[in-house]
Amino acid sequence: MAPTEIITILAPSPGAVPHPSRYAHTDIDGDRLLISTALFPDGTPGLYFRTDPNGSSVPLTDLPALIAQLQVIADASTAEAAEA
């Protein structure tokens, strides 16, 4: 008997549309990482993380740029929440 695969497609949470401040990365074997703004239903700003099913690896040499961009995304998320 062949295994059954169930795929669930979830709509992105409100505010999870990739913002211009997003961080996008594709690792050496093609797995992708996206970090963007998120806005929770109660108006709380947050960060949205999405990867391919295998996850995505970021080289340590890219860590300073990722950390800096996380702050830019957090600031953009806070601004989006204030506008909402």
Side-chain angles (χ1 to χ4, degrees):
M1 177 178 207
T4 301
E5 181 177 7
I6 299 173
I7 298 173
T8 303
I9 299 174
L10 302 173
S13 61
V17 174
H19 188 272
S21 67
R22 71 187 169 269
Y23 176 85
H25 173 77
T26 303
D27 70 13
I28 195 164
D29 60 350
D31 298 316
R32 297 167 298 171
L33 168 65
L34 170 69
I35 305 172
S36 189
T37 60
L39 186 60
F40 291 90
D42 68 355
T44 302
L47 298 175
Y48 172 77
F49 292 82
R50 183 174 69 205
T51 66
D52 287 338
N54 291 331
S56 182
S57 302
V58 176
L60 290 180
T61 55
D62 292 354
L63 189 59
L66 170 57
I67 292 169
Q69 195 61 29
L70 281 173
Q71 187 60 60
V72 171
I73 297 165
D75 293 343
S77 187
T78 300
E80 281 186 336
E83 292 173 7

